Amino acid sequence: MDLKKAFEIINKTYSDKNNPNTRILNMEGPAPFLQVKGFLDLRGIKHGFTTRLGGVSTGIYESMNMGLHLEDDVNLVMENYKRIGESMGIDPMRISCPNQVHKDNILVVKEEDAGDGIARELSHFEIDAQITNVKDVPLIVYAADCVPILLADPVSRAVGSVHAGWRGTVSGIAAKTVNKMCEEFGCLPENIHAVIGPSIGPDNYEVDETVINEVFACSFIDASEDNLTVTQGRGKDFSVAVHVSDPLGPGAAYEIFRTVKFRNRYMLNLWNLNELILVNAGLKSGNIYNTRLCTMKYHDLFFSHRYTNGKRGLNAGIISL
């Protein structure tokens, strides 16, 4: 995909440039990257999501592959990091690059963790979320359909990165990361901002009943019958929305999934589910920015695991104080 087409896709959603959800393709450096206005308005915080553009990797990894432990040429991947570092104004050799495994372990990143996994051998394993209040130690989250979430508290001066596949999502990793920021750095949930990055969207994320049962069992949402809204769709199909937990009665509703009866499958909305979990964790809905860019739909702009049957590189979300 060329830059012009990428610009049209990323920048077309909102015509109001003051809307905090407005997506921006930053093309000032050698590697273009995605930003949202709501986070750009937070002083002293750098953020971005990579695309497939601007890198040097080839083949199934073309071109901005951020995966350090795939079968891509490591020299090409390091050049990709150099380019995104120059574009974002960060030192790529100070990024904390942990091993992600679809669990809910959270790493509190300190100065000595700068560069772990990229400037030296990896020492943090089975980590799917990171938080820090250390300046100039960028946090990274990798994804290729899973949901990358960046967190920032401009008051307590702390940031976080979260990797939320369906397993991490239903385990409440986003809420647990918010809670950890509050515990470690004295953050207040209402001061924390979140951006949900490019990931597989509700029109393409087909799951079976096992996954839906795990959604209903998620302890970070109220999936009781009184807190659900079921809407009839075409034929025998229907959609299910879960309301924000509120002692005064059901709050705002988030559509979580819809049925596809003829296939006996479900279309899961990980974007809305993570947003609901974050609101239940105390974030203001107005402080959550959802890019709503589907990696499978735009597989030539972002790496997609499902579209390529696993033959792909990795996208990345990066945030730094």
Side-chain angles (χ1 to χ4, degrees):
M1 179 179 292
D2 61 30
L3 272 176
K4 181 179 179 182
K5 180 64 175 177
F7 180 86
E8 290 174 354
I9 291 171
I10 289 176
N11 290 57
K12 74 179 181 181
T13 300
Y14 301 101
S15 57
D16 181 5
K17 294 184 178 180
N18 294 318
N19 188 317
N21 281 290
T22 295
R23 305 179 309 216
I24 299 162
L25 183 62
N26 189 313
M27 299 185 292
E28 295 177 3
F33 62 99
L34 166 68
Q35 297 178 297
V36 294
K37 187 178 185 302
F39 260 48
L40 286 172
D41 291 340
L42 304 180
R43 296 180 61 185
I45 293 172
K46 296 178 180 179
H47 83 287
F49 296 94
T50 63
T51 71
R52 293 189 65 171
L53 307 177
V56 296
S57 293
T58 61
I60 62 172
Y61 306 110
E62 186 181 3
S63 68
M64 182 54 72
N65 170 39
M66 301 297 288
L68 287 162
H69 304 289
L70 303 176
E71 295 182 2
D72 194 4
D73 184 325
V74 67
N75 293 316
L76 300 181
V77 180
M78 293 302 290
E79 175 62 24
N80 292 342
Y81 273 84
K82 178 182 176 182
R83 292 185 177 202
I84 196 64
E86 181 181 342
S87 297
M88 289 187 64
I90 60 171
D91 182 353
M93 301 308 288
R94 285 180 57 81
I95 300 176
S96 175
C97 302
N99 163 251
Q100 298 175 178
V101 291
H102 299 281
K103 293 188 176 181
D104 60 357
N105 299 320
I106 303 166
L107 176 67
V108 180
V109 175
K110 304 183 184 304
E111 172 61 35
E112 55 265 32
D113 298 313
D116 192 82
I118 184 168
R120 58 181 181 275
E121 288 296 317
L122 179 69
S123 64
H124 296 298
F125 298 90
E126 300 190 352
I127 298 296
D128 283 86
Q130 305 184 86
I131 61 172
T132 194
N133 64 350
V134 181
K135 293 181 180 179
D136 299 319
V137 180
L139 307 180
I140 194 167
V141 51
Y142 302 101
D145 280 343
C146 292
V147 182
I149 302 171
L150 302 180
L151 301 169
D153 181 347
V155 178
S156 295
R157 306 295 299 155
V159 294
S161 63
V162 181
H163 171 243
W166 77 259
R167 291 179 180 85
T169 297
V170 300
S171 75
I173 189 170
K176 291 176 180 177
T177 307
V178 168
N179 293 341
K180 192 70 171 177
M181 290 175 69
C182 296
E183 174 188 327
E184 293 287 333
F185 309 131
C187 300
L188 297 176
E190 57 266 32
N191 292 334
I192 296 176
H193 295 243
V195 54
I196 297 172
S199 42
I200 195 164
D203 291 335
N204 289 297
Y205 194 34
E206 187 177 292
V207 300
D208 59 22
E209 188 174 358
T210 301
V211 176
I212 297 302
N213 289 337
E214 293 288 342
V215 171
F216 278 119
C218 175
S219 61
F220 293 87
I221 64 173
D222 177 4
S224 61
E225 185 175 350
D226 292 343
N227 206 48
L228 303 179
T229 295
V230 179
T231 303
Q232 190 66 42
R234 294 181 178 180
K236 296 181 179 180
D237 285 315
F238 59 87
S239 63
V240 173
V242 180
H243 292 263
V244 173
S245 301
D246 191 330
L248 300 179
Y254 289 80
E255 184 179 299
I256 301 303
F257 69 87
R258 58 183 175 84
T259 64
V260 186
K261 286 290 188 180
F262 79 96
R263 291 174 58 85
N264 196 30
R265 305 284 281 182
Y266 304 81
M267 306 305 293
L268 180 60
N269 192 328
L270 284 178
W271 299 340
N272 282 0
L273 182 54
N274 277 287
E275 189 166 338
L276 172 62
I277 288 170
L278 287 167
V279 172
N280 281 344
L283 271 68
K284 297 178 180 178
S285 60
N287 286 349
I288 303 173
Y289 319 115
N290 198 329
T291 60
R292 299 193 182 279
L293 285 166
C294 177
T295 45
M296 188 167 179
K297 178 180 179 180
Y298 298 116
H299 55 269
D300 49 353
L301 180 56
F302 304 102
F303 291 108
S304 170
H305 182 86
R306 284 206 171 192
Y307 184 83
T308 60
N309 293 315
K311 299 177 181 179
R312 44 67 185 163
L314 284 169
N315 313 304
I318 302 173
I319 189 164
S320 178
L321 286 171

